[in-house]
């Protein structure tokens, strides 16, 4: 897809201020859209919006299709007459970090009460809309709702430990489970309807204010997910539901043992036989949620690192060919031509990966934190091609201020000389450098707009806890930030007028 020159900010909705212990899709989300408009930005990038589990990672969700109930705006449910306002008084405090244990307990209880209120007080039009949603989304919603209900009934245990007839999805066992857990299933379907209704309203509000939303598709799904349980024949699983091989990345400069992700791997041969229908459905769902999608670990479509199940590191893996261009041709045919996709092409990238990316004119990613030390570095702006997306940093990096504080002196010196700024101006110098570059899109995390240090980092890869918690405080983004961003967008031709 040919993108017009523009810029935007990266902020996951969980990091918004307000809400009830966690950012949500309500008033503060709309206020952030207003801020983006004042700042002359055109994009809001979010992380995956699926329901999170252990570790709270949006990249390890219980479904590639469902929405995260924790993001639901409870105030809207009070306004609808389904939830008593007194319930909100039990909410966790709004601090600079999400306490997920508290938030999960509170929101589950509140959403259960909202469902009970909906059954009693919901108007006919809303009940009809819920039924229509259930029918329209049944291809994934039926399995997800049953999966989530069974997971609750098994106190959160992973699906491969359930009773064998359920693990093997025997028809009689599934029929009985749907009957036994009918009320829980209905509540889960209601919660998903509420999420999609609220997200749809927020997306429409963003469009009214000239803001497009960039979403995120992780290439792999979690093992403990409705996707793996509901489609076992599309993954390398044994007869008892256990993975035989899992995903990871090989040893490199950053890790002597590689990274063992543990996600189940796709049986691409079986996917191809079925016309990649699961992937077409997944991308279609993403393009209904977002205007543009970033595909995480794009190189895995060309070749992926396969590790035998049971290994404790990723050392004993091997490269296996992925679907390559075949998948993207089908996606293009089925979804209407050019694909509004950003390819996350970081890490070990081969000429074959670059050729796959370029065959479909997908912009790759450039990270300015990776740029310093060698004039030939591909992440330096003077080496950019136009069809790329430049970031000061991403959710997996330290904040730019944090990076600068811990970087080698030689890299700091190179960066300051390249940008012709002093140390105190480093972060905004990096934002200015991104905006001034030839990259078609320029994006920065909100933490960099605020020039925050490592305490505001969103995620540290390979660290199991303490991630995904950072939040904006009320009033932390001020008009001066918007004015400064607007000035850069205007100066470097990243406004809507400049693209005309």
């Amino acid at each position: 897809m040919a993108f017009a020159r523009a810029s935007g900010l990266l902020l996951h909705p969980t990091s918004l201020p307000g809400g009830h212990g966690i950012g949500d899709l309500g008033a503060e989300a709309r206020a952030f859209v207003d801020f983006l408009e004042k700042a002359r930005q055109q994009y809001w990038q979010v992380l995956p919006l699926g329901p999170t589990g252990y570790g709270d990672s949006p990249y390890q969700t219980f479904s590639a299709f469902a929405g995260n109930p924790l993001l639901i705006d409870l105030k809207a449910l009070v306004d609808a007459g389904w939830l008593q306002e007194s319930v909100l008084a039990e909410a966790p405090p709004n601090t600079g970090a999400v306490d997920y244990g508290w938030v999960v307990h509170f929101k589950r209880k509140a959403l259960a009460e909202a469902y009970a209120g909906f059954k009693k007080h919901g108007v006919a039009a809303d009940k009809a809309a819920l039924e229509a949603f259930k029918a329209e989304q049944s291809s994934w919603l039926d399995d997800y709702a049953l999966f989530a209900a069974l997971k609750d009934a098994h106190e959160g245990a992973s699906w491969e430990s359930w009773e064998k007839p359920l693990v093997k999805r025997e028809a009689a066992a599934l029929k009985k489970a749907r009957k036994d857990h009918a009320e829980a299933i209905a509540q889960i379907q209601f919660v998903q309807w509420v999420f999609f209704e609220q997200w749809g309203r927020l997306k429409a509000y963003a469009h009214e204010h000239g803001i497009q939303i960039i979403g995120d598709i992780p290439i792999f799904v979690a093992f403990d997910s409705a996707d793996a349980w509901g489609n076992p024949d599309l993954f390398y699983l044994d007869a008892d539901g256990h993975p035989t091989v899992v995903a990871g990345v090989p040893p490199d400069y950053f890790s002597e043992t590689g990274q063992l992700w543990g996600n189940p791997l796709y049986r691409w041969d079986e996917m191809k036989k079925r016309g990649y229908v699961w992937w077409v459905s997944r991308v279609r769902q993403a393009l209904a949620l977002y205007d543009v999608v970033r595909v995480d670990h794009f190189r895995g479509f060309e070749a992926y690192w396969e590790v035998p199940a049971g290994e404790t590191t990723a050392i004993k893996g091997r490269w296996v060919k992925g679907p390559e261009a075949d998948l993207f041709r089908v996606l293009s045919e089925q979804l209407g031509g050019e694909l509004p996709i950003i390819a996350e092409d970081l890490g070990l990238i081969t000429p074959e990966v670059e050729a796959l990316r370029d065959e479909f004119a997908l912009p790759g990613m450039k990270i300015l934190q990776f740029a310093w030390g060698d004039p030939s570095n591909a992440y330096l702006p003077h080496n950019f091609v136009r069809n790329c997306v430049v970031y000061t940093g991403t959710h997996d990096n330290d904040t730019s201020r944090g990076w600068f504080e811990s970087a080698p002196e030689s890299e700091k010196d190179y960066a300051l000389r390249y940008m012709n700024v002093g140390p105190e101006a480093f972060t905004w110098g990096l934002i200015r450098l991104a905006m001034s570059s030839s990259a078609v899109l320029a994006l920065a995390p909100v933490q960099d707009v605020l020039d925050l240090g490592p305490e505001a980092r969103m995620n540290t890869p390979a660290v199991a806890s303490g991630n995904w918690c950072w939040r904006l405080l009320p009033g932390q983004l001020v008009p001066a930030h918007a004015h400064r961003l607007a000035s850069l967008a205007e100066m470097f031709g990243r406004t809507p007028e400049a693209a005309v």
Side-chain angles (χ1 to χ4, degrees):
M1 176 178 172
F3 291 91
R5 186 172 172 84
S7 58
L9 299 180
L10 168 61
L11 181 75
H12 196 46
T14 59
S15 295
L16 288 161
H20 299 93
I22 190 170
D24 62 31
L25 307 180
E28 290 290 351
R30 294 188 294 275
F32 183 63
V33 169
D34 296 340
F35 175 86
L36 289 169
E37 183 182 27
K38 291 185 179 82
R40 309 301 308 279
Q41 303 303 293
Q42 297 181 64
Y43 285 96
W44 175 6
Q45 182 169 340
V46 301
L47 306 181
L49 295 175
T52 54
Y54 176 78
D56 311 304
S57 171
Y59 291 89
Q60 294 285 341
T61 65
F62 293 132
S63 170
F65 294 82
N68 189 349
L70 301 183
L71 292 174
I72 287 174
D73 170 25
L74 297 179
K75 182 65 167 60
L77 306 186
V78 172
D79 294 343
W82 307 337
L83 185 64
Q84 293 294 317
E85 190 157 15
S86 58
V87 173
L88 305 186
E90 303 171 23
N94 285 316
T95 64
V98 180
D99 182 337
Y100 278 99
W102 193 348
V103 165
V104 169
H105 175 76
F106 165 72
K107 282 225 162 176
R108 282 175 67 96
K109 180 182 176 186
L111 290 169
E113 293 193 26
Y115 174 59
F118 173 81
K119 287 195 296 180
K120 287 182 181 177
H121 308 299
V123 299
D126 286 328
K127 291 185 175 179
L130 170 59
E131 292 307 311
F133 171 80
K134 288 159 63 173
E136 291 163 3
Q137 305 297 327
S138 61
S139 61
W140 65 267
L141 182 60
D142 290 354
D143 262 347
Y144 171 70
L146 178 57
F147 170 86
L150 287 170
K151 193 166 180 63
D152 284 345
H154 289 84
E155 299 182 340
S158 184
W159 64 266
E160 86 281 6
S161 68
W162 300 347
E163 297 84 353
K164 283 290 182 265
L166 292 174
V167 171
K168 295 177 178 293
R169 294 179 58 82
E170 293 177 6
L174 295 184
K175 182 178 179 179
K176 183 176 186 300
R178 287 194 175 94
K179 181 180 178 182
D180 291 347
H181 303 285
E183 187 65 9
I185 289 169
Q187 180 180 312
I188 292 160
Q189 291 172 323
F190 163 78
V191 168
Q192 286 300 305
W193 171 67
V194 170
F195 172 88
F196 281 90
E197 285 285 304
Q198 291 193 358
W199 178 259
R201 289 196 293 271
L202 178 59
K203 183 183 176 187
Y205 185 84
H207 287 178
E208 289 166 10
H209 292 265
I211 307 301
Q212 302 280 295
I213 296 177
I214 301 174
D216 199 315
I217 298 181
I219 182 174
F220 298 120
V221 301
F223 168 67
D224 190 20
S225 67
D227 310 296
W229 176 68
N231 304 278
D233 47 345
L234 296 181
F235 299 88
Y236 284 105
L237 306 176
D238 65 20
D240 294 318
H242 299 105
T244 57
V245 289
V246 296
V249 290
D252 58 17
Y253 174 81
F254 299 101
S255 172
E256 293 180 356
T257 59
Q259 294 180 42
L260 186 63
W261 295 339
N263 306 77
L265 290 171
Y266 301 111
R267 289 184 56 190
W268 285 114
D269 57 341
E270 191 64 29
M271 290 272 193
K272 182 173 183 175
K273 282 181 192 174
R274 302 183 187 192
Y276 300 106
V277 65
W278 185 88
W279 264 98
V280 170
S281 297
R282 187 182 185 190
V283 176
R284 180 179 283 116
Q285 175 88 336
L287 294 179
L289 284 172
Y290 318 115
D291 301 294
V292 178
V293 290
R294 188 195 83 125
V295 176
D296 193 46
H297 198 59
F298 177 80
R299 72 105 53 247
F301 292 106
E302 192 279 322
Y304 56 90
W305 190 249
E306 177 188 275
V307 183
E311 292 291 325
T312 57
T313 74
I315 292 174
K316 295 181 180 178
R318 63 173 186 143
W319 287 109
V320 179
K321 280 291 184 183
E324 302 177 283
D326 194 39
L327 170 63
F328 289 91
R329 290 193 192 103
V330 171
L331 290 173
S332 181
E333 290 165 4
Q334 294 288 316
L335 301 175
E338 290 187 331
L339 299 169
I341 285 175
I342 297 168
E344 186 272 286
D345 55 351
L346 308 175
L348 179 61
I349 301 303
T350 64
E352 291 83 0
V353 177
E354 293 175 345
L356 177 61
R357 178 197 67 202
D358 294 345
E359 180 177 346
F360 296 92
L362 307 179
M365 290 173 56
K366 306 293 184 184
I367 311 299
L368 291 179
Q369 288 184 23
F370 299 165
W372 311 110
D374 179 354
S376 65
N377 189 314
Y379 295 117
L380 281 169
H382 66 257
N383 295 319
F384 286 0
V385 296
R386 180 182 179 278
N387 192 33
C388 70
V389 183
V390 60
Y391 293 78
T392 55
T394 74
H395 63 278
D396 280 336
N397 302 120
D398 202 344
T399 65
S400 291
R401 174 57 57 188
W403 176 89
F404 184 80
E405 290 173 356
S406 61
E409 288 299 323
S410 60
E411 293 186 21
K412 289 198 283 190
D413 177 67
Y414 191 113
L416 294 176
R417 287 188 293 112
Y418 191 96
M419 295 188 291
N420 194 28
V421 298
E424 74 289 344
F426 171 76
T427 302
W428 271 91
L430 214 59
I431 294 172
R432 188 182 194 279
L433 185 63
M435 298 278 261
S436 68
S437 75
S438 60
V440 65
L441 298 182
L443 294 154
V446 164
Q447 292 97 315
D448 285 355
V449 173
L450 297 169
D451 198 13
L452 298 177
E455 73 284 351
R457 182 170 185 162
M458 192 63 166
N459 180 51
T460 303
V463 173
S465 61
N467 295 316
W468 318 110
C469 297
W470 177 78
R471 296 190 70 195
L472 271 169
L473 294 171
Q476 205 167 6
L477 280 174
V478 297
H481 294 123
H483 176 74
R484 199 169 183 182
L485 287 167
S487 296
L488 291 175
E490 290 161 1
M491 185 184 304
F492 296 116
R494 294 189 180 276
T495 63
E497 298 84 358
V500 174

